[in-house]
Amino acid sequence: MRKGLVLAACALALAIPSAAIADVAHVGYPSSMASTGDSITRAFNTCGFPFIDCPQNSWSTGTSSTVNSHYRRILASNPAISGRNFNDAKTGARMNGLAAQVTTVVSQNAEYVTILMGANDVCTSSVSTMTPTPTLESQLQTALQSLSSGLPNTRIYVVSIPNVYHLWEILHTNFSAIVTWTLGGICQSLLANPTSTAPADVARRQQVYDRNVADNQVLSRVCARFIHCRFDGGAAFNLQFVRSDVSTRDYFHPAVAGQAKAAAVTWGATFDFSDQTAPLSYADLVADPVSGTDVTLTATDNVGVSGIEYMLNGSGYQRYTGTFTVATGTAVTYRAVDLNGNVEATHTLTG
């Protein structure tokens, strides 16, 4: 036990109350998971019958051995997850639909949640109808706040929006793709006039690309505000699909081969579930005769600490950002979270 904690305990007569909120450590592979997002996560257009969702081929929660989803990879190490793979994504969803999906996820008590959302916010009928980046940020912030509050132990994995411009790059000379994009009105913000080299069309495509990049920066920034959240670092955005990875039905959605690539690339950037070492946190307390007790928290871990969170009198976790002061009699519950989403058992002290 650290010297500061011992001295503070003696000076302030701190005790762990019998009724204190307590939770065990949460480490290793999850025993349930849920996916949120849009038609990509629903594996739209990958079944034998065309133009339907095919969730068994999902990169996240699918059961296909060909795709080898996150679910199947977890199942290989943790059989307890069997049958507890929920696909809550909705074909056609934009970021404004994530909050409703999160409500479903919370009811399922999922221990690992993937979020791949935002493609439909840049792939719209025109550049003018793309979701403004500040709006996207607010919508994601609200959804992650609800998810973190509803499932405070859950790992959250935010996947970058794929590079939709690359789709145009590899297929804009394919006659079938051109006809399909035009007749189907697919992603016209990017894919309208796909063979045109007119300055206005070139500028429009660049605008979509720039928005794609800006939105991914937002995903990274918002995720970083939540210590249980991990961003893929652009892994999905940087994935270089080839023509055979794209459906020949709509020349837009990933084919089974594309789902398999997405599964592999995103798996390489998510939490390392094989790490089963919980972080350790410590409290240093200093008596303040005027306002109560000053509390300073620190933590260590074998792979690195994502952050520390605490709650006062069971009021809900908040992120620790620096020394705070509590009134005498306040119960402080705290714990650390490491970079792989492992959570230590809680500590509770009362002044």
Short mmCIF file of all heavy atoms in Angstrom, two decimals, residues 141 144-145 148-149 151-157 220-231 271 279 281 297 299 304-311 317-321 334-344:
data_model
loop_
_atom_site.label_atom_id
_atom_site.label_comp_id
_atom_site.label_asym_id
_atom_site.label_seq_id
_atom_site.Cartn_x
_atom_site.Cartn_y
_atom_site.Cartn_z
N GLN A 141 -21.31 11.83 -29.71
CA GLN A 141 -21.09 12.13 -28.30
C GLN A 141 -22.29 11.69 -27.46
O GLN A 141 -22.13 11.05 -26.41
CB GLN A 141 -20.85 13.63 -28.12
CG GLN A 141 -20.78 14.11 -26.69
CD GLN A 141 -19.47 13.76 -26.00
OE1 GLN A 141 -18.44 13.63 -26.66
NE2 GLN A 141 -19.50 13.61 -24.69
N LEU A 144 -22.46 7.77 -27.34
CA LEU A 144 -21.42 7.16 -26.50
C LEU A 144 -21.66 7.46 -25.03
O LEU A 144 -21.35 6.63 -24.17
CB LEU A 144 -20.04 7.65 -26.93
CG LEU A 144 -19.51 7.15 -28.26
CD1 LEU A 144 -18.04 7.53 -28.43
CD2 LEU A 144 -19.67 5.65 -28.41
N GLN A 145 -22.20 8.63 -24.74
CA GLN A 145 -22.52 8.95 -23.35
C GLN A 145 -23.60 8.01 -22.82
O GLN A 145 -23.50 7.49 -21.70
CB GLN A 145 -22.99 10.40 -23.23
CG GLN A 145 -23.22 10.85 -21.80
CD GLN A 145 -21.96 10.78 -20.97
OE1 GLN A 145 -20.96 11.43 -21.29
NE2 GLN A 145 -21.98 9.99 -19.90
N SER A 148 -22.01 4.48 -22.43
CA SER A 148 -21.10 4.41 -21.28
C SER A 148 -21.86 4.44 -19.96
O SER A 148 -21.48 3.77 -19.00
CB SER A 148 -20.11 5.57 -21.33
OG SER A 148 -19.28 5.47 -22.47
N SER A 149 -22.93 5.23 -19.91
CA SER A 149 -23.72 5.30 -18.69
C SER A 149 -24.53 4.03 -18.47
O SER A 149 -24.65 3.53 -17.35
CB SER A 149 -24.67 6.51 -18.75
OG SER A 149 -23.96 7.71 -18.85
N LEU A 151 -23.92 0.95 -19.78
CA LEU A 151 -23.07 -0.23 -19.64
C LEU A 151 -21.66 0.23 -19.24
O LEU A 151 -20.74 0.27 -20.07
CB LEU A 151 -23.02 -1.01 -20.95
CG LEU A 151 -24.34 -1.61 -21.45
CD1 LEU A 151 -24.15 -2.25 -22.83
CD2 LEU A 151 -24.88 -2.64 -20.46
N PRO A 152 -21.45 0.58 -17.99
CA PRO A 152 -20.19 1.20 -17.57
C PRO A 152 -18.97 0.29 -17.63
O PRO A 152 -17.85 0.79 -17.49
CB PRO A 152 -20.48 1.65 -16.14
CG PRO A 152 -21.60 0.78 -15.67
CD PRO A 152 -22.44 0.53 -16.89
N ASN A 153 -19.15 -1.01 -17.83
CA ASN A 153 -18.01 -1.92 -17.91
C ASN A 153 -17.70 -2.35 -19.35
O ASN A 153 -16.75 -3.10 -19.57
CB ASN A 153 -18.27 -3.18 -17.09
CG ASN A 153 -18.50 -2.88 -15.62
OD1 ASN A 153 -17.83 -2.03 -15.05
ND2 ASN A 153 -19.46 -3.56 -15.02
N THR A 154 -18.47 -1.88 -20.30
CA THR A 154 -18.41 -2.39 -21.67
C THR A 154 -17.28 -1.76 -22.49
O THR A 154 -17.08 -0.54 -22.43
CB THR A 154 -19.75 -2.17 -22.37
OG1 THR A 154 -20.73 -3.00 -21.75
CG2 THR A 154 -19.69 -2.50 -23.85
N ARG A 155 -16.59 -2.58 -23.25
CA ARG A 155 -15.61 -2.08 -24.21
C ARG A 155 -16.34 -1.56 -25.45
O ARG A 155 -17.21 -2.24 -25.99
CB ARG A 155 -14.64 -3.18 -24.62
CG ARG A 155 -13.69 -3.68 -23.53
CD ARG A 155 -12.87 -4.81 -24.10
NE ARG A 155 -11.82 -5.28 -23.23
CZ ARG A 155 -11.91 -6.35 -22.46
NH1 ARG A 155 -13.04 -7.03 -22.41
NH2 ARG A 155 -10.89 -6.75 -21.73
N ILE A 156 -15.95 -0.40 -25.91
CA ILE A 156 -16.56 0.23 -27.08
C ILE A 156 -15.49 0.39 -28.16
O ILE A 156 -14.44 0.99 -27.92
CB ILE A 156 -17.15 1.61 -26.72
CG1 ILE A 156 -18.14 1.50 -25.56
CG2 ILE A 156 -17.80 2.25 -27.95
CD1 ILE A 156 -18.52 2.84 -24.95
N TYR A 157 -15.77 -0.14 -29.34
CA TYR A 157 -14.80 -0.08 -30.44
C TYR A 157 -15.40 0.72 -31.59
O TYR A 157 -16.37 0.29 -32.22
CB TYR A 157 -14.45 -1.49 -30.90
CG TYR A 157 -13.43 -1.58 -32.01
CD1 TYR A 157 -12.31 -0.75 -32.03
CD2 TYR A 157 -13.57 -2.52 -33.02
CE1 TYR A 157 -11.36 -0.86 -33.04
CE2 TYR A 157 -12.62 -2.64 -34.04
CZ TYR A 157 -11.52 -1.80 -34.03
OH TYR A 157 -10.58 -1.91 -35.05
N SER A 220 -12.42 9.83 -33.89
CA SER A 220 -11.26 9.63 -33.02
C SER A 220 -11.33 10.53 -31.80
O SER A 220 -11.09 10.10 -30.66
CB SER A 220 -9.98 9.90 -33.81
OG SER A 220 -8.85 9.82 -32.98
N ARG A 221 -11.68 11.78 -32.02
CA ARG A 221 -11.70 12.76 -30.94
C ARG A 221 -12.79 12.45 -29.91
O ARG A 221 -12.55 12.52 -28.70
CB ARG A 221 -11.92 14.16 -31.53
CG ARG A 221 -11.89 15.27 -30.50
CD ARG A 221 -11.73 16.64 -31.16
NE ARG A 221 -12.86 17.01 -32.01
CZ ARG A 221 -12.77 17.17 -33.32
NH1 ARG A 221 -11.63 16.96 -33.97
NH2 ARG A 221 -13.84 17.55 -34.02
N VAL A 222 -13.96 12.09 -30.38
CA VAL A 222 -15.05 11.79 -29.45
C VAL A 222 -14.76 10.52 -28.67
O VAL A 222 -14.96 10.45 -27.45
CB VAL A 222 -16.39 11.67 -30.20
CG1 VAL A 222 -17.50 11.22 -29.25
CG2 VAL A 222 -16.77 13.01 -30.83
N CYS A 223 -14.27 9.50 -29.36
CA CYS A 223 -13.96 8.24 -28.68
C CYS A 223 -12.94 8.46 -27.57
O CYS A 223 -13.04 7.87 -26.49
CB CYS A 223 -13.44 7.23 -29.71
SG CYS A 223 -13.03 5.60 -29.04
N ALA A 224 -11.98 9.34 -27.81
CA ALA A 224 -10.92 9.58 -26.83
C ALA A 224 -11.45 10.19 -25.53
O ALA A 224 -10.77 10.16 -24.51
CB ALA A 224 -9.85 10.49 -27.43
N ARG A 225 -12.66 10.72 -25.56
CA ARG A 225 -13.24 11.30 -24.34
C ARG A 225 -13.76 10.24 -23.38
O ARG A 225 -14.10 10.56 -22.24
CB ARG A 225 -14.39 12.24 -24.73
CG ARG A 225 -13.95 13.43 -25.56
CD ARG A 225 -15.15 14.18 -26.13
NE ARG A 225 -14.73 15.22 -27.07
CZ ARG A 225 -15.52 15.77 -27.98
NH1 ARG A 225 -16.80 15.38 -28.05
NH2 ARG A 225 -15.06 16.68 -28.81
N PHE A 226 -13.84 9.00 -23.85
CA PHE A 226 -14.41 7.91 -23.05
C PHE A 226 -13.34 6.85 -22.83
O PHE A 226 -12.81 6.28 -23.79
CB PHE A 226 -15.63 7.32 -23.76
CG PHE A 226 -16.75 8.29 -23.96
CD1 PHE A 226 -16.77 9.13 -25.07
CD2 PHE A 226 -17.78 8.39 -23.03
CE1 PHE A 226 -17.80 10.05 -25.25
CE2 PHE A 226 -18.81 9.30 -23.20
CZ PHE A 226 -18.82 10.14 -24.31
N ILE A 227 -13.03 6.55 -21.58
CA ILE A 227 -11.88 5.69 -21.31
C ILE A 227 -12.14 4.23 -21.66
O ILE A 227 -11.19 3.44 -21.74
CB ILE A 227 -11.40 5.81 -19.85
CG1 ILE A 227 -12.45 5.31 -18.86
CG2 ILE A 227 -11.01 7.23 -19.53
CD1 ILE A 227 -11.95 5.31 -17.43
N HIS A 228 -13.39 3.84 -21.91
CA HIS A 228 -13.67 2.47 -22.32
C HIS A 228 -13.75 2.35 -23.84
O HIS A 228 -14.10 1.29 -24.36
CB HIS A 228 -15.00 2.00 -21.72
CG HIS A 228 -15.00 1.93 -20.22
ND1 HIS A 228 -14.66 0.79 -19.52
CD2 HIS A 228 -15.29 2.87 -19.28
CE1 HIS A 228 -14.75 1.03 -18.22
NE2 HIS A 228 -15.13 2.29 -18.05
N CYS A 229 -13.45 3.43 -24.55
CA CYS A 229 -13.59 3.46 -26.01
C CYS A 229 -12.24 3.38 -26.69
O CYS A 229 -11.25 3.97 -26.24
CB CYS A 229 -14.31 4.75 -26.43
SG CYS A 229 -14.71 4.84 -28.20
N ARG A 230 -12.21 2.65 -27.80
CA ARG A 230 -10.99 2.54 -28.61
C ARG A 230 -11.35 2.83 -30.06
O ARG A 230 -12.31 2.28 -30.60
CB ARG A 230 -10.39 1.13 -28.48
CG ARG A 230 -9.05 0.96 -29.21
CD ARG A 230 -8.60 -0.50 -29.14
NE ARG A 230 -7.28 -0.69 -29.69
CZ ARG A 230 -6.20 -0.96 -28.97
NH1 ARG A 230 -6.29 -1.06 -27.66
NH2 ARG A 230 -5.04 -1.14 -29.55
N PHE A 231 -10.58 3.70 -30.71
CA PHE A 231 -10.73 4.01 -32.13
C PHE A 231 -9.76 3.14 -32.92
O PHE A 231 -8.69 2.80 -32.42
CB PHE A 231 -10.44 5.49 -32.37
CG PHE A 231 -10.59 5.93 -33.80
CD1 PHE A 231 -11.81 5.82 -34.45
CD2 PHE A 231 -9.51 6.46 -34.49
CE1 PHE A 231 -11.96 6.24 -35.77
CE2 PHE A 231 -9.64 6.89 -35.80
CZ PHE A 231 -10.88 6.77 -36.45
N PHE A 271 -9.20 -4.11 -29.24
CA PHE A 271 -8.61 -4.47 -27.96
C PHE A 271 -7.92 -5.84 -28.06
O PHE A 271 -8.39 -6.73 -28.76
CB PHE A 271 -9.68 -4.56 -26.87
CG PHE A 271 -10.51 -3.32 -26.71
CD1 PHE A 271 -11.76 -3.22 -27.32
CD2 PHE A 271 -10.06 -2.26 -25.94
CE1 PHE A 271 -12.54 -2.09 -27.16
CE2 PHE A 271 -10.84 -1.11 -25.77
CZ PHE A 271 -12.07 -1.03 -26.38
N PRO A 279 -5.44 -3.18 -14.53
CA PRO A 279 -4.58 -2.09 -14.04
C PRO A 279 -4.73 -1.92 -12.53
O PRO A 279 -5.61 -2.53 -11.91
CB PRO A 279 -5.12 -0.87 -14.79
CG PRO A 279 -6.55 -1.20 -15.04
CD PRO A 279 -6.60 -2.69 -15.28
N SER A 281 -4.90 1.11 -9.46
CA SER A 281 -4.98 2.53 -9.16
C SER A 281 -4.74 2.78 -7.68
O SER A 281 -4.90 1.88 -6.85
CB SER A 281 -6.35 3.10 -9.59
OG SER A 281 -7.40 2.50 -8.84
N LEU A 297 -5.62 10.74 -7.76
CA LEU A 297 -5.61 9.36 -8.21
C LEU A 297 -4.51 9.13 -9.24
O LEU A 297 -4.27 9.98 -10.10
CB LEU A 297 -6.97 8.99 -8.82
CG LEU A 297 -8.20 9.19 -7.94
CD1 LEU A 297 -9.48 8.87 -8.72
CD2 LEU A 297 -8.12 8.33 -6.68
N ALA A 299 -2.51 5.63 -11.56
CA ALA A 299 -2.69 4.22 -11.94
C ALA A 299 -1.52 3.74 -12.78
O ALA A 299 -0.82 4.53 -13.43
CB ALA A 299 -3.99 4.05 -12.73
N GLY A 304 -0.40 -0.06 -20.42
CA GLY A 304 -0.74 1.35 -20.44
C GLY A 304 -2.15 1.60 -19.93
O GLY A 304 -3.03 0.76 -20.07
N VAL A 305 -2.34 2.75 -19.35
CA VAL A 305 -3.62 3.12 -18.75
C VAL A 305 -4.41 4.01 -19.70
O VAL A 305 -3.89 4.99 -20.22
CB VAL A 305 -3.40 3.85 -17.41
CG1 VAL A 305 -4.72 4.32 -16.83
CG2 VAL A 305 -2.68 2.93 -16.42
N SER A 306 -5.66 3.65 -19.92
CA SER A 306 -6.55 4.49 -20.72
C SER A 306 -7.06 5.65 -19.89
O SER A 306 -7.23 6.78 -20.39
CB SER A 306 -7.74 3.67 -21.24
OG SER A 306 -8.65 4.49 -21.94
N GLY A 307 -7.32 5.40 -18.61
CA GLY A 307 -7.78 6.47 -17.73
C GLY A 307 -8.26 5.93 -16.42
O GLY A 307 -8.27 4.72 -16.17
N ILE A 308 -8.67 6.84 -15.56
CA ILE A 308 -9.24 6.51 -14.25
C ILE A 308 -10.61 7.17 -14.18
O ILE A 308 -10.81 8.27 -14.68
CB ILE A 308 -8.36 7.03 -13.10
CG1 ILE A 308 -6.91 6.54 -13.27
CG2 ILE A 308 -8.91 6.60 -11.75
CD1 ILE A 308 -5.93 7.22 -12.31
N GLU A 309 -11.56 6.48 -13.57
CA GLU A 309 -12.88 7.07 -13.38
C GLU A 309 -13.28 6.91 -11.92
O GLU A 309 -12.81 6.02 -11.22
CB GLU A 309 -13.90 6.43 -14.31
CG GLU A 309 -14.04 4.93 -14.20
CD GLU A 309 -14.94 4.35 -15.29
OE1 GLU A 309 -15.46 5.12 -16.12
OE2 GLU A 309 -15.11 3.11 -15.31
N TYR A 310 -14.16 7.81 -11.49
CA TYR A 310 -14.60 7.77 -10.10
C TYR A 310 -16.05 8.23 -10.01
O TYR A 310 -16.58 8.88 -10.90
CB TYR A 310 -13.70 8.66 -9.23
CG TYR A 310 -13.82 10.13 -9.49
CD1 TYR A 310 -14.66 10.93 -8.73
CD2 TYR A 310 -13.10 10.73 -10.52
CE1 TYR A 310 -14.77 12.30 -8.96
CE2 TYR A 310 -13.20 12.10 -10.77
CZ TYR A 310 -14.04 12.87 -9.99
OH TYR A 310 -14.17 14.22 -10.22
N MET A 311 -16.68 7.87 -8.91
CA MET A 311 -18.02 8.35 -8.62
C MET A 311 -18.11 8.80 -7.17
O MET A 311 -17.36 8.31 -6.32
CB MET A 311 -19.08 7.29 -8.94
CG MET A 311 -19.08 6.07 -8.02
SD MET A 311 -20.53 5.01 -8.31
CE MET A 311 -20.06 4.14 -9.79
N TYR A 317 -20.19 7.26 -12.82
CA TYR A 317 -18.77 7.50 -13.06
C TYR A 317 -18.52 8.78 -13.86
O TYR A 317 -19.28 9.14 -14.77
CB TYR A 317 -18.15 6.32 -13.82
CG TYR A 317 -17.86 5.13 -12.94
CD1 TYR A 317 -18.57 3.94 -13.10
CD2 TYR A 317 -16.88 5.19 -11.96
CE1 TYR A 317 -18.31 2.84 -12.30
CE2 TYR A 317 -16.61 4.10 -11.15
CZ TYR A 317 -17.32 2.93 -11.32
OH TYR A 317 -17.07 1.84 -10.52
N GLN A 318 -17.44 9.44 -13.52
CA GLN A 318 -16.91 10.54 -14.32
C GLN A 318 -15.42 10.35 -14.48
O GLN A 318 -14.77 9.69 -13.67
CB GLN A 318 -17.22 11.88 -13.67
CG GLN A 318 -16.76 12.03 -12.23
CD GLN A 318 -17.25 13.32 -11.60
OE1 GLN A 318 -16.98 14.41 -12.10
NE2 GLN A 318 -17.99 13.20 -10.50
N ARG A 319 -14.87 10.91 -15.54
CA ARG A 319 -13.45 10.70 -15.82
C ARG A 319 -12.61 11.57 -14.89
O ARG A 319 -12.89 12.75 -14.67
CB ARG A 319 -13.15 11.05 -17.28
CG ARG A 319 -11.72 10.72 -17.68
CD ARG A 319 -11.54 10.80 -19.17
NE ARG A 319 -10.28 10.20 -19.58
CZ ARG A 319 -10.01 9.85 -20.82
NH1 ARG A 319 -10.91 10.03 -21.78
NH2 ARG A 319 -8.85 9.30 -21.14
N TYR A 320 -11.55 10.98 -14.35
CA TYR A 320 -10.62 11.70 -13.50
C TYR A 320 -9.69 12.54 -14.37
O TYR A 320 -9.06 12.04 -15.30
CB TYR A 320 -9.81 10.73 -12.66
CG TYR A 320 -8.71 11.39 -11.84
CD1 TYR A 320 -9.03 12.11 -10.69
CD2 TYR A 320 -7.38 11.30 -12.24
CE1 TYR A 320 -8.03 12.72 -9.94
CE2 TYR A 320 -6.38 11.90 -11.49
CZ TYR A 320 -6.71 12.62 -10.36
OH TYR A 320 -5.72 13.23 -9.62
N THR A 321 -9.61 13.83 -14.08
CA THR A 321 -8.74 14.73 -14.84
C THR A 321 -7.72 15.44 -13.96
O THR A 321 -6.85 16.14 -14.48
CB THR A 321 -9.57 15.79 -15.60
OG1 THR A 321 -10.37 16.52 -14.67
CG2 THR A 321 -10.49 15.12 -16.63
N TYR A 334 -13.49 4.47 -7.04
CA TYR A 334 -12.63 4.73 -8.19
C TYR A 334 -12.04 3.44 -8.74
O TYR A 334 -11.97 2.41 -8.03
CB TYR A 334 -11.52 5.72 -7.82
CG TYR A 334 -10.57 5.23 -6.75
CD1 TYR A 334 -9.37 4.62 -7.08
CD2 TYR A 334 -10.88 5.37 -5.40
CE1 TYR A 334 -8.49 4.15 -6.10
CE2 TYR A 334 -10.02 4.92 -4.41
CZ TYR A 334 -8.82 4.32 -4.77
OH TYR A 334 -7.96 3.86 -3.80
N ARG A 335 -11.61 3.49 -9.99
CA ARG A 335 -10.99 2.34 -10.64
C ARG A 335 -10.28 2.82 -11.90
O ARG A 335 -10.61 3.87 -12.45
CB ARG A 335 -12.04 1.29 -11.01
CG ARG A 335 -13.06 1.78 -12.03
CD ARG A 335 -14.15 0.76 -12.27
NE ARG A 335 -15.03 1.16 -13.36
CZ ARG A 335 -16.02 0.41 -13.84
NH1 ARG A 335 -16.28 -0.79 -13.31
NH2 ARG A 335 -16.77 0.84 -14.83
N ALA A 336 -9.33 2.02 -12.37
CA ALA A 336 -8.59 2.34 -13.59
C ALA A 336 -9.00 1.40 -14.71
O ALA A 336 -9.49 0.28 -14.49
CB ALA A 336 -7.09 2.22 -13.34
N VAL A 337 -8.81 1.87 -15.94
CA VAL A 337 -9.09 1.09 -17.15
C VAL A 337 -7.84 1.13 -18.01
O VAL A 337 -7.25 2.20 -18.22
CB VAL A 337 -10.28 1.69 -17.94
CG1 VAL A 337 -10.59 0.85 -19.17
CG2 VAL A 337 -11.51 1.83 -17.05
N ASP A 338 -7.41 -0.04 -18.53
CA ASP A 338 -6.20 -0.03 -19.34
C ASP A 338 -6.53 0.07 -20.83
O ASP A 338 -7.70 0.15 -21.23
CB ASP A 338 -5.32 -1.25 -19.03
CG ASP A 338 -5.84 -2.57 -19.57
OD1 ASP A 338 -6.77 -2.59 -20.41
OD2 ASP A 338 -5.31 -3.63 -19.17
N LEU A 339 -5.50 0.11 -21.66
CA LEU A 339 -5.68 0.33 -23.09
C LEU A 339 -6.41 -0.81 -23.78
O LEU A 339 -6.93 -0.63 -24.89
CB LEU A 339 -4.31 0.54 -23.76
CG LEU A 339 -3.57 1.82 -23.34
CD1 LEU A 339 -2.19 1.87 -23.99
CD2 LEU A 339 -4.37 3.06 -23.69
N ASN A 340 -6.47 -1.97 -23.16
CA ASN A 340 -7.21 -3.10 -23.72
C ASN A 340 -8.61 -3.23 -23.12
O ASN A 340 -9.27 -4.26 -23.30
CB ASN A 340 -6.42 -4.39 -23.53
CG ASN A 340 -5.25 -4.47 -24.50
OD1 ASN A 340 -5.37 -4.07 -25.66
ND2 ASN A 340 -4.11 -4.97 -24.03
N GLY A 341 -9.03 -2.23 -22.40
CA GLY A 341 -10.38 -2.23 -21.85
C GLY A 341 -10.54 -3.01 -20.57
O GLY A 341 -11.66 -3.15 -20.06
N ASN A 342 -9.45 -3.55 -20.03
CA ASN A 342 -9.53 -4.25 -18.75
C ASN A 342 -9.81 -3.26 -17.63
O ASN A 342 -9.22 -2.18 -17.58
CB ASN A 342 -8.23 -5.00 -18.45
CG ASN A 342 -8.01 -6.17 -19.39
OD1 ASN A 342 -8.93 -6.93 -19.67
ND2 ASN A 342 -6.79 -6.32 -19.88
N VAL A 343 -10.70 -3.65 -16.73
CA VAL A 343 -11.13 -2.77 -15.64
C VAL A 343 -10.78 -3.43 -14.31
O VAL A 343 -11.10 -4.60 -14.08
CB VAL A 343 -12.65 -2.52 -15.70
CG1 VAL A 343 -13.07 -1.53 -14.63
CG2 VAL A 343 -13.06 -2.02 -17.09
N GLU A 344 -10.15 -2.69 -13.45
CA GLU A 344 -9.81 -3.26 -12.14
C GLU A 344 -11.04 -3.27 -11.23
O GLU A 344 -12.04 -2.58 -11.49
CB GLU A 344 -8.69 -2.46 -11.49
CG GLU A 344 -9.11 -1.09 -10.99
CD GLU A 344 -8.06 -0.45 -10.08
OE1 GLU A 344 -7.34 -1.16 -9.37
OE2 GLU A 344 -8.01 0.81 -10.08
#
